[in-house]
Amino acid sequence: MTTISIRPGVVDTEMQRELREVHHTKMDAKDVARFAGLKRDGGLLTAEMPGHVIAKLALDGPPALSGRVLR
């Protein structure tokens, strides 16, 4: 069995929208600015980007990567 952990990065999801638009009042100002900047500057990944990597690893993940955390 090959097990690989994936840290996909910051992905443009509904959760990101909620962080920026709903929960921003409960967050540290530095984090609010970071997430708003990522959206404004095009720094968010589309869901398809990490999705394709995860699918490829699920199908063909080499055993040499087992136990690793990939970013």
Side-chain angles (χ1 to χ4, degrees), residues 35-51:
F35 290 120
L38 285 169
K39 179 65 173 179
R40 179 189 64 240
D41 301 335
L44 297 174
L45 300 173
T46 66
E48 291 80 12
M49 294 169 86

Side-chain angles (χ1 to χ4, degrees), residues 2-71:
T2 299
T3 59
I4 304 168
S5 294
I6 306 291
R7 182 177 181 199
V10 186
V11 182
D12 196 5
T13 62
E14 181 65 15
M15 181 182 79
Q16 283 296 317
R17 185 199 61 77
E18 287 183 8
L19 283 174
R20 290 188 310 274
E21 297 176 12
V22 178
H23 303 295
H24 65 279
T25 59
K26 299 177 180 98
M27 295 170 56
D28 184 75
K30 178 182 77 173
D31 293 328
V32 172
R34 176 176 175 248
F35 290 120
L38 285 169
K39 179 65 173 179
R40 179 189 64 240
D41 301 335
L44 297 174
L45 300 173
T46 66
E48 291 80 12
M49 294 169 86
H52 287 198
V53 172
I54 292 167
K56 177 69 173 164
L57 288 170
L59 294 172
D60 300 318
L65 293 179
S66 194
R68 304 260 322 263
V69 177
L70 305 179
R71 295 175 26 168

